[in-house]
Amino acid sequence: DNAWGQTWKFDCYTDPGYLDGVGGLTPLKPKKQKSKSSADYTEASLSGMEVVVQRGTVIDGNFRFDYPVRIEGKLIGELNSSELVVVGFNAEICGKVSAKNLIVLGAVIGKATVEEMLVIKSTGYVDGEVKVSSLLSEEGATFHGQASLNLGH
């Protein structure tokens, strides 16, 4: 529940302006950006990313993004991104995540399919089944579950 005791439920593909001002969702502004690998993102560049789910907000549904996004609240359901997804320090995703690259500072509980690289930072917690091409886990990170590596990618 968010600060008003509500859980937002959506089952849609995000469209610029569609969710403008709804709950903790920021207006969505796709940005044309050169594709980057997870290694190209520094802490400074991550802090400047578009935050789609604000801290203290809980949303439930299925979402698709075609640009890099940062989650700072709680997302229950399915998240698909053709780019980078960053799960912030206080964030939690419960369900399924599919992304080109995934950086976890908070928690991911469920299934994750990552086309290129999964990075679990020292504060990160991943519990579930992951399918990745590359996995980087910092000292202090927590991983429970099964990992399948796609070494042919």
Side-chain angles (χ1 to χ4, degrees):
D1 289 347
N2 63 20
W4 298 280
Q6 300 168 318
T7 299
W8 297 101
K9 292 185 180 274
F10 300 98
D11 189 6
C12 62
Y13 292 116
T14 56
D15 181 23
Y18 177 74
L19 298 173
D20 189 7
V22 177
L25 298 173
T26 59
L28 303 176
K29 301 174 203 138
K31 300 173 185 170
K32 293 280 185 189
Q33 296 180 349
K34 184 181 104 177
S35 184
K36 297 181 178 182
S37 73
S38 293
D40 293 331
Y41 291 93
T42 63
E43 287 299 318
S45 70
L46 293 177
S47 65
M49 287 183 66
E50 183 86 29
V51 177
V52 178
V53 181
Q54 300 289 342
R55 185 174 177 187
T57 301
V58 177
I59 60 173
D60 185 340
N62 299 315
F63 301 89
R64 184 182 79 191
F65 300 99
D66 293 323
Y67 54 92
V69 294
R70 184 177 179 110
I71 307 297
E72 289 295 340
K74 183 173 183 177
L75 186 145
I76 302 167
E78 190 169 331
L79 173 64
N80 293 295
S81 176
S82 60
E83 293 292 333
L84 171 71
V85 172
V86 176
V87 180
F89 180 75
N90 293 303
E92 183 178 340
I93 296 179
C94 298
K96 293 171 74 174
V97 179
S98 296
K100 182 175 184 179
N101 292 289
L102 177 62
I103 299 175
V104 181
L105 292 96
V108 173
I109 301 166
K111 292 184 178 182
T113 302
V114 183
E115 185 181 324
E116 291 181 1
M117 181 181 283
L118 167 61
V119 178
I120 307 172
K121 301 297 249 176
S122 62
T123 58
Y125 176 86
V126 176
D127 187 346
E129 179 184 329
V130 298
K131 294 179 182 178
V132 298
S133 293
S134 181
L135 174 63
L136 174 65
S137 178
E138 290 185 352
E139 184 176 345
T142 303
F143 175 73
H144 295 281
Q146 297 178 329
S148 300
L149 295 176
N150 179 10
L151 301 176
H153 185 262

